[in-house]
Amino acid sequence: MKMQIKLIEPTVAEILLPKETLAAFGLTADRITPRRADARKLLTVLFDLLESLCGLRRDGCFTFAECRPYINGNCRLCVGFTRLPSQRLYAFACADDLLDALSRVRYISSSDVFRVEPSGDRFLLYYAQSPDNQINAAHNLAVLSEYAMC
């Protein structure tokens, strides 16, 4: 399996995947999504490689991956690791979708919003459930899932 891995920051790596590697997993650059079993298999292999080669480990913490088509059918994957415990993460295509969702949710005790770079158009919302917001949790999860991208 051919690829290039570059550590951009201590907790962020960039992976360039040639179209031949993607094809070996039955994928193309525009078809990588966690909903696809073949994409999940590829991501698992990549996370294992990042751990063994770069020391980047998920350990039940929030990890984000942004996949973009690259030159000649290749793929550029940017993967970042944090120390935040992983519970719920939602991606929004634009600020309007994020703001619409936030206007409909009920009390949220803990959440963080991150702007996805380099595009700057997408936003991530990390939603941490806690005992004090369990009453509104089902409603909030339904609203966030309705607006968030898959």
Side-chain angles (χ1 to χ4, degrees):
M1 179 167 58
K2 293 174 74 176
M3 72 182 76
Q4 293 178 359
I5 298 176
K6 181 168 124 180
L7 199 57
I8 298 173
E9 295 177 16
T11 59
V12 179
E14 178 184 74
I15 304 168
L16 295 177
L17 295 164
K19 64 183 175 185
E20 296 80 19
T21 299
L22 295 172
F25 284 86
L27 295 166
T28 59
D30 60 344
R31 295 180 67 202
I32 296 178
T33 173
R35 284 186 160 173
R36 297 179 54 95
D38 44 8
R40 286 193 306 272
K41 183 177 177 183
L42 173 62
L43 290 172
T44 300
V45 168
L46 294 176
F47 282 130
D48 290 344
L49 283 171
L50 288 172
E51 182 174 348
S52 65
L53 298 174
C54 304
L56 298 173
R57 297 174 44 187
R58 290 178 287 168
D59 288 335
C61 291
F62 168 71
T63 305
F64 70 91
E66 181 182 16
C67 181
R68 297 213 178 241
Y70 198 60
I71 302 167
N72 297 327
N74 299 327
C75 175
R76 178 184 171 269
L77 183 69
C78 186
V79 183
F81 297 80
T82 72
R83 289 189 172 83
L84 293 172
S86 178
Q87 290 192 14
R88 303 277 184 185
L89 178 70
Y90 297 92
F92 295 87
C94 62
D96 286 341
D97 288 350
L98 172 65
L99 294 173
D100 285 346
L102 290 176
S103 72
R104 293 189 51 213
V105 296
R106 297 178 186 150
Y107 175 76
I108 294 180
S109 63
S110 177
S111 66
D112 290 305
V113 175
F114 304 93
R115 189 174 203 166
V116 176
E117 297 298 335
S119 69
D121 295 340
R122 289 197 238 153
F123 293 85
L124 301 176
L125 170 71
Y126 170 73
Y127 175 62
Q129 285 184 251
S130 63
D132 61 330
N133 70 8
Q134 289 299 314
I135 294 171
N136 297 312
H139 169 81
N140 290 345
L141 295 175
V143 168
L144 293 172
S145 295
E146 176 184 341
Y147 281 88
M149 300 172 12
C150 295

